[in-house]
Amino acid sequence: RYTFGGLMVDEKVRPLVLAIAGSDPTGGAGVHADLEAIRKMGGEGVYAITAITAQDEESVLTIHPTPADVLSQQLAVAVRLRNPSAIKIGMVATLSNAKLVSWFLRRFKDEPVVLDPVLHSSSGYPLLESDAMSYFRQNLLPLVSVITPNRMEAEILAGQKIKSVKTMEAASEVIYKEIKAIRGKRPFAVIIKGGHMDGDDVLDVLYDGEVYSSDTKQSVPVDRYREVTNEFTMAHSTTK
């Protein structure tokens, strides 16, 4: 037996986690990083790729979104033999993919679903079609259990600047209320990741509608930031 996402698990039945995300040829982000984080958490990963990209930390050269019918087939194969214990969603890229993922999620009732709202690359390149944003917010986000935006993504979703812990808390409440109004009584939480904030320490803020919780940790080297972020997100993917 071993620990996975804070739970004791039988070695013979490793939790299955489905990662839905884009590809990154450097392996530093996207589905490749998700699978590595799943492995480190003691789980078994399956995946569906929403877009093939040519990018690194400095720039995005090209993005080729996966056609929705191909993505649908990937998802069907990934969970054909066994339903996932948790689902992690990253880049969805297009309106058609956002609609497909929303349809797919409706078959799952109790499994935790964590969504990292990938809206732009680190270099500022848009990673979600502009005409997909409204559907993304009103239809996909209300289907997930936890959303984990970074500062820039939270600013877009909340429509306000974030410069301090207080403004992180305020933004998390704005995002929470918008999504909760559609999601209803089902549990939901917003975690704003503080990796892009100024300072030597990284502070993440969680809001679940009642309590603000914060977690402070030391900054990590730039070359490990994505790795640590993915492990952090995956931990929440696997804990109800």
Side-chain angles (χ1 to χ4, degrees), residues 7-72:
L7 303 174
M8 289 303 297
V9 178
D10 191 320
E11 181 73 36
K12 296 180 180 179
V13 187
R14 294 192 299 163
L16 186 71
V17 180
L18 170 63
I20 305 172
S23 72
D24 181 336
T26 69
V31 72
H32 311 294
D34 287 340
L35 293 173
E36 179 65 13
I38 292 168
R39 184 190 64 78
K40 287 187 176 182
M41 293 294 295
E44 177 182 348
V46 291
Y47 65 91
I49 294 178
T50 58
I52 297 173
T53 75
Q55 64 172 314
D56 57 20
E57 288 282 355
E58 301 298 326
S59 63
V60 176
L61 300 181
T62 188
I63 296 175
H64 182 72
T66 303
D69 61 331
V70 177
L71 178 59
S72 176

Side-chain angles (χ1 to χ4, degrees), residues 115 117 119 136-137 141-142 144 146-160 162 167-183 188-193 205 207 209 212:
L115 186 144
L119 306 179
F136 181 80
R137 296 178 70 145
L141 295 188
V144 309
V146 181
I147 181 175
T148 61
N150 60 28
R151 178 178 63 82
M152 291 83 80
E153 293 159 349
E155 287 181 338
I156 293 171
L157 293 175
Q160 60 189 55
I162 297 175
T167 52
M168 286 176 76
E169 292 179 346
S172 67
E173 185 171 350
V174 170
I175 297 169
Y176 176 89
K177 287 182 176 179
E178 176 183 331
I179 298 174
K180 189 66 172 173
I182 304 172
R183 184 170 171 81
F188 175 72
V190 177
I191 302 173
I192 298 181
K193 298 173 293 190
V205 169
Y207 181 63
Y212 292 107

Side-chain angles (χ1 to χ4, degrees), residues 2 71 110 164:
Y2 63 96
L71 178 59
D110 300 319
S164 64

